Amino acid sequence: MSEQVRVRFAPSPTGYLHVGGARTALFNWLFARHTGGKFILRIEDTDAARNTDAAMQAIYDGMRWLGLDWDEGPLVGGDHGPYLQSERGAIYERHAEKLRASGHVYADENGALRFRLPRKMVVMDDLVCGRIEVDRSKSQNRDGSPEADMTIRRADGGWIFHFVNVVDDLEMKITHVIRGEDHLSNTPKHLELFEAIGAPPPRYAHIPLILNKDGTKMSKRDQGASVDGYIEGGYVPEAVRNFLCLLGWSPKDDREIMPIAEVIERFDPAQINRKAAQFDLEKCDWINQQYILQMPLETLAEKVEPWLAKAGVPFGTRAAMLPVLALVRERLKKLSDAPAWMDYFFTEDFPFDAEATAKVLGKPAALDHLRALAAAYHGVAEWNAATLETSLKSAATVAGVKVGEFVHPARLAATGRSVGASLYHTLEVLGRERVLARFDRALAKLSAKP
């Protein structure tokens, strides 16, 4: 491309950062990084009654968490600011006055400023949707009446989205507008404004809507709709970003786990799917789990540590955490799962799951098997998973029962539950003294049950 690509993400700070908005920001960011262009963050905060500082912060925090750094915008600056629409009033006044002087804008009887609709054919060459022709001479309201001239500023002085959006794109030298398909009906109006101003419009690319699995449009109330939910839910940001990449774009080779550097290299708006994207939180969970499995153990420990601390798990040092984390990582779908799978490694004061206890004690001679195993483990020379497995199987053979009749009481005694990572490796990591002490504790506690 001969000119430098300049794209923007322009959210309104009226609520949390929606996953649809995050996907739009991501596609713009990818295109900017792919082309060596600039990614601009612009805050459309003209609706003072609905804007909140918390929503503004959620936008910044969500984008930073996803790794979507902006080249120009709030907190960063740039040559085309201010980047908050609430601070750009003088710019809008200047453009409105020019349009008024050229006869394209007039004040109605209520004092609102209106743009005279050209009422002619508008042709759009969309990078995703292709060529679209709209006969604006036949545009109608929902009741069938002719569409009125477009208001660009209300009588109370408030600016209307269509006008300020166009002015900002012009002033910020935006070359491409990548936004949701729900804006497709707005684009003819924006093209009319660009023509009246006498400036070439940017290229438009309208990306498909995100639908729930049942085909309904994803709303703010749906599970997985808020980026905050991923942050608070223990997701890995790189995994969520990977998932969002696949909502409307595909590398065409059925791959689902892709490093962001490769996505940047291959991203092209022309390859965005025309079909609506289906949101599947289960797929996001699977991708998140793949990232956890592939992550260097030290990196994973660093990410898990705050979740253990928050849950009050006394893990001690990072070094003490590593062998436990290596053992249970396959069980983690999210970072927030770590405390539940790791807590009993770091405390002797863990409860016995009631359902697991009932299940184990429902087996004949369960406690006798645990006593026999404790005796066998006292005589084990080398305390490692292989030796512990051999010793347990030998004890089961001597008792004339299946291996499971020894495994289940051992797991309950050592962890307080019926499921977990490999039993023998769990016992190895816990160590001889702690395992035998736990066996004794369980025998005393469970023997006392009526």
Side-chain angles (χ1 to χ4, degrees), residues 104 115 118 120-122 190-201:
H104 291 289
F115 172 69
K120 62 181 184 179
M121 184 71 70
V122 174
H190 297 178
L191 291 173
E192 289 171 341
L193 283 166
F194 272 107
E195 184 176 5
I197 292 171

Side-chain angles (χ1 to χ4, degrees), residues 2 35 63 69 72 87 115 153 214 219 227 241 260 321 340 346 348 390 403 410 414 423:
S2 57
T35 59
M63 292 183 65
D69 55 319
E72 298 177 23
E87 300 175 0
F115 172 69
R153 190 183 68 192
D214 62 3
S219 74
V227 173
R241 187 175 61 195
I260 194 62
M321 187 207 307
F346 300 105
E348 301 308 307
T390 299
V403 172
L423 172 64

